[in-house]
Amino acid sequence: MEKIIDIQHLSKTFGTNEVLKDINFSVNKGEVVSIIGSSGSGKSTLLRCINLLEKPTGGKIFFKGEDILDDKHDIRAYRAKLGMVFQHFNLFNNHDVLSNCMVGQIKVLKRSKEEAREVAMKYLKVVEMEKFIHAKPHQLSGGQKQRVAIARALSMDPEVMLFDEPTSALDPEMVGEVLKVMKELAGLGLTMLVVTHEMGFAREVSDRVVFMDKGVIAEEGTPEEIFNNPKLERTREFLKRTLEQN
Amino acid sequence: MEFDIIVKTVTKYWPMFIRGAGVTLLISIIGTIIGSIIGLLIGVIRTIPMPERGFRKIILKVINTILSIYVEVFRGTPMIVQAMVIYYGSKQALDIDMTPLLAGIFIVSINTGAYMAEIVRGGIISIDKGQFEAAHAIGMSHIQTMLNVVLPQVIRNILPATGNEFVINIKDTSVLNVIAVTELFFQTKSVAGINYRYFEAFFVASVIYFVMTYTVTRILRYIERKIDGPENYILYANQMQVETPEDALMREQKYKGSI
Ligand SMILES: Nc1ncnc2c1ncn2[C@@H]1O[C@H](COP(=O)(O)OP(=O)(O)O)[C@@H](O)[C@H]1O
Ligand SMILES: [Mg+2]
């Protein structure tokens, strides 16, 4: 299988705080990988290192075989190939729904307005937000915002989608609509890396589950392996704690 | 009686007042616009993320230092003194002979620029970090992020402060009379010098100043409301109604009323 993202010995420190320690893992094309772990374990930092919102302190990241930490690598072109969905949506406040999904295509991918609009509409239909194209972000509910944010990322036709706890900031009744969209995307064969606290999603949708603890990948495996047969005591404890909360 | 003399002053010297008010408005408008552009440019430059090392870091540091000095100096000295230093300095030291009007526009522009730079910087800093991150995450450069995402929001947010600068400029251009710019204060002094009626002439001037600042304030407030746009938007298909805050408020009041 083709490795689309390959991470080797990745580390990240903030000051003296070692947040990521010797991370090694890879994502194959078409794979859905969920990252679980308690808060503060470094999940967001890992995602943010992958799209270089944070600069790794050490190690290597390969994207389709290319070393993206190489100084000569075009960071912006690389970022355009990764779609990022944030916990707090981060829709562009000064753009309406349609424009949120078009501006990146026009400015970064240099697509024509017509093409950008067509692509944006296609993905807004996927997330069922095509009726709200003229709404500004502040007029939408959290669930609607997150679905637009997903459409915005998809509109760049990325090769990998990164999700950082996409449902954590939502009211409980809106979690479902966002997870439904993400399940659909997984069904379409999109490569997805999802940081999530939704154990149901991780279990049903992902091909592989990664459990992070204190800056290291403690355990990884198929959902069955992680959820039914965790090898480590701390994985068991984390799952027990999380499932009790839900 | 003073009232008679005020009327006489107006009927006799109105062209001078109008010309003075015209120059005052011209300098304030151009000065505010150029000053805002300077402020935006400096704001953008001063928020460029610092490279970790290398030549670009040194250049950026030098530029930032120069810009800080500019901002501090012009905010820390009175415009009347800046006017004298720049007007006579350029004449005597640099041998540049600016007309008073040009010198006036120049001084107001760079003075406003210094204030706007800080206002813009504050505006940029107050934009949610998530806006920058989302723009960077889809591959936008710093400039693209600024132009397409951040500055439109900043400009909207600092519009009241910009309007404030404009109003201040209308009033403060009066200090330019020290370098013989023929703005309203200078013209009023001339009128008073002709008939020795200082109170009446300056009473007229104060009315004109007030009309100008009041009108500008109203216009800017109107523009602000226009930019905010209609609170409700038109749904692509009319299947669902999204409530505006006003609607919500009304519904709540109705609800309370029915109890
Ligand atoms: N920009 C930052 N500066 C300093 N420390 C940070 C920064 N971002 C994250 N951290 C620290 O890194 C650790 C991991 O954070 P994070 O990756 O957000 O964890 P998670 O997403 O798993 O909750 C935390 O201790 C956090 O305080
Ligand atoms: Mg996190």
Side-chain angles (χ1 to χ4, degrees), chain A residues 1 11 18 44 54 67 92-93 96 107 146 148 156-157 176 189 207 216 237:
Chain A
M1 251 202 272
S11 64
E18 252 194 304
S44 298
E54 300 290 355
D67 179 0
F92 302 137
N93 293 327
D96 66 14
K107 301 296 170 186
Q146 198 57 300
V148 173
M156 301 293 287
D157 290 317
D207 300 305
V216 298
E237 257 169 38

Short mmCIF file of all heavy atoms in Angstrom, two decimals, chain A residues 1 11 18 44 54 67 92-93 96 107 146 148 156-157 176 189 207 216 237:
data_model
loop_
_atom_site.label_atom_id
_atom_site.label_comp_id
_atom_site.label_asym_id
_atom_site.label_seq_id
_atom_site.Cartn_x
_atom_site.Cartn_y
_atom_site.Cartn_z
N MET A 1 0.84 -1.22 0.00
CA MET A 1 0.00 0.00 0.00
C MET A 1 0.86 1.25 0.00
O MET A 1 1.93 1.27 0.60
CB MET A 1 -0.91 0.01 1.22
CG MET A 1 -2.37 -0.24 0.83
SD MET A 1 -3.50 0.38 2.05
CE MET A 1 -3.62 -1.04 3.12
N SER A 11 9.73 14.77 16.87
CA SER A 11 9.66 15.28 18.23
C SER A 11 9.31 16.76 18.20
O SER A 11 9.56 17.45 17.21
CB SER A 11 10.99 15.07 18.96
OG SER A 11 11.99 15.82 18.33
N GLU A 18 8.49 18.66 26.61
CA GLU A 18 8.57 17.70 25.50
C GLU A 18 7.17 17.18 25.20
O GLU A 18 6.65 16.32 25.91
CB GLU A 18 9.47 16.54 25.91
CG GLU A 18 10.80 16.54 25.22
CD GLU A 18 11.50 15.20 25.40
OE1 GLU A 18 11.69 14.80 26.56
OE2 GLU A 18 11.83 14.57 24.38
N SER A 44 -3.22 17.17 19.14
CA SER A 44 -3.32 18.36 18.28
C SER A 44 -1.95 18.76 17.76
O SER A 44 -1.80 19.10 16.59
CB SER A 44 -3.90 19.54 19.06
OG SER A 44 -5.20 19.24 19.48
N GLU A 54 2.87 23.95 13.32
CA GLU A 54 3.97 23.95 14.30
C GLU A 54 5.19 23.36 13.61
O GLU A 54 5.06 22.41 12.83
CB GLU A 54 3.64 23.08 15.53
CG GLU A 54 2.42 23.48 16.31
CD GLU A 54 2.58 24.77 17.08
OE1 GLU A 54 3.70 25.34 17.09
OE2 GLU A 54 1.58 25.23 17.65
N ASP A 67 10.48 14.71 1.42
CA ASP A 67 10.80 15.23 2.74
C ASP A 67 10.30 16.68 2.83
O ASP A 67 10.89 17.59 2.27
CB ASP A 67 12.32 15.19 2.92
CG ASP A 67 12.74 15.73 4.28
OD1 ASP A 67 11.86 16.13 5.05
OD2 ASP A 67 13.96 15.74 4.54
N PHE A 92 -13.73 31.79 7.80
CA PHE A 92 -13.35 33.18 7.60
C PHE A 92 -14.57 34.07 7.87
O PHE A 92 -15.55 34.04 7.13
CB PHE A 92 -12.83 33.40 6.19
CG PHE A 92 -11.65 32.52 5.84
CD1 PHE A 92 -11.57 31.88 4.62
CD2 PHE A 92 -10.63 32.32 6.75
CE1 PHE A 92 -10.49 31.08 4.30
CE2 PHE A 92 -9.54 31.52 6.45
CZ PHE A 92 -9.47 30.89 5.22
N ASN A 93 -14.47 34.88 8.91
CA ASN A 93 -15.64 35.66 9.35
C ASN A 93 -16.12 36.67 8.33
O ASN A 93 -17.27 37.07 8.35
CB ASN A 93 -15.30 36.40 10.65
CG ASN A 93 -15.10 35.43 11.79
OD1 ASN A 93 -15.74 34.38 11.83
ND2 ASN A 93 -14.19 35.74 12.70
N ASP A 96 -18.87 34.87 3.19
CA ASP A 96 -20.06 34.05 3.39
C ASP A 96 -19.70 32.58 3.12
O ASP A 96 -18.54 32.26 2.81
CB ASP A 96 -21.25 34.56 2.55
CG ASP A 96 -21.02 34.42 1.05
OD1 ASP A 96 -20.09 33.70 0.66
OD2 ASP A 96 -21.77 35.04 0.28
N LYS A 107 -7.22 31.86 -4.75
CA LYS A 107 -5.95 32.50 -4.42
C LYS A 107 -4.79 31.52 -4.41
O LYS A 107 -3.68 31.87 -4.79
CB LYS A 107 -6.04 33.19 -3.05
CG LYS A 107 -7.10 34.25 -2.95
CD LYS A 107 -6.83 35.41 -3.89
CE LYS A 107 -8.04 36.34 -3.95
NZ LYS A 107 -7.87 37.41 -4.95
N GLN A 146 -19.26 23.73 11.20
CA GLN A 146 -18.28 22.68 11.01
C GLN A 146 -18.48 21.99 9.66
O GLN A 146 -17.51 21.61 9.01
CB GLN A 146 -18.33 21.67 12.17
CG GLN A 146 -17.11 20.79 12.30
CD GLN A 146 -15.81 21.57 12.46
OE1 GLN A 146 -15.42 22.36 11.60
NE2 GLN A 146 -15.12 21.36 13.57
N VAL A 148 -19.58 23.44 6.96
CA VAL A 148 -19.01 24.35 5.96
C VAL A 148 -17.48 24.26 5.99
O VAL A 148 -16.83 24.23 4.94
CB VAL A 148 -19.46 25.81 6.21
CG1 VAL A 148 -18.72 26.76 5.28
CG2 VAL A 148 -20.96 25.94 6.05
N MET A 156 -10.53 22.25 -1.74
CA MET A 156 -9.15 22.33 -2.21
C MET A 156 -8.71 21.00 -2.83
O MET A 156 -7.55 20.84 -3.20
CB MET A 156 -8.22 22.70 -1.06
CG MET A 156 -8.52 24.01 -0.36
SD MET A 156 -8.25 25.45 -1.41
CE MET A 156 -6.45 25.51 -1.44
N ASP A 157 -9.62 20.05 -2.92
CA ASP A 157 -9.32 18.69 -3.40
C ASP A 157 -8.05 18.14 -2.75
O ASP A 157 -7.08 17.78 -3.43
CB ASP A 157 -9.20 18.68 -4.92
CG ASP A 157 -10.55 18.89 -5.59
OD1 ASP A 157 -11.53 18.29 -5.12
OD2 ASP A 157 -10.63 19.67 -6.55
N GLY A 176 -24.00 14.58 15.81
CA GLY A 176 -24.41 13.57 14.84
C GLY A 176 -24.30 14.02 13.40
O GLY A 176 -23.79 13.28 12.55
N GLY A 189 -13.71 6.89 0.34
CA GLY A 189 -12.33 6.46 0.13
C GLY A 189 -11.31 7.55 0.39
O GLY A 189 -10.15 7.44 0.00
N ASP A 207 -9.98 2.50 10.04
CA ASP A 207 -9.27 1.27 9.70
C ASP A 207 -8.24 0.97 10.78
O ASP A 207 -7.89 -0.17 11.01
CB ASP A 207 -8.53 1.46 8.36
CG ASP A 207 -9.49 1.78 7.24
OD1 ASP A 207 -10.44 1.01 7.04
OD2 ASP A 207 -9.31 2.84 6.59
N VAL A 216 3.75 10.13 23.33
CA VAL A 216 4.22 8.99 22.53
C VAL A 216 3.01 8.21 22.03
O VAL A 216 1.91 8.30 22.58
CB VAL A 216 5.12 8.03 23.33
CG1 VAL A 216 6.38 8.73 23.80
CG2 VAL A 216 4.36 7.43 24.50
N GLU A 237 -7.21 1.63 30.73
CA GLU A 237 -7.68 2.65 31.68
C GLU A 237 -8.30 3.83 30.97
O GLU A 237 -9.37 4.32 31.35
CB GLU A 237 -6.50 3.16 32.51
CG GLU A 237 -6.50 2.58 33.90
CD GLU A 237 -5.19 2.87 34.60
OE1 GLU A 237 -4.66 4.00 34.39
OE2 GLU A 237 -4.69 1.99 35.32
#
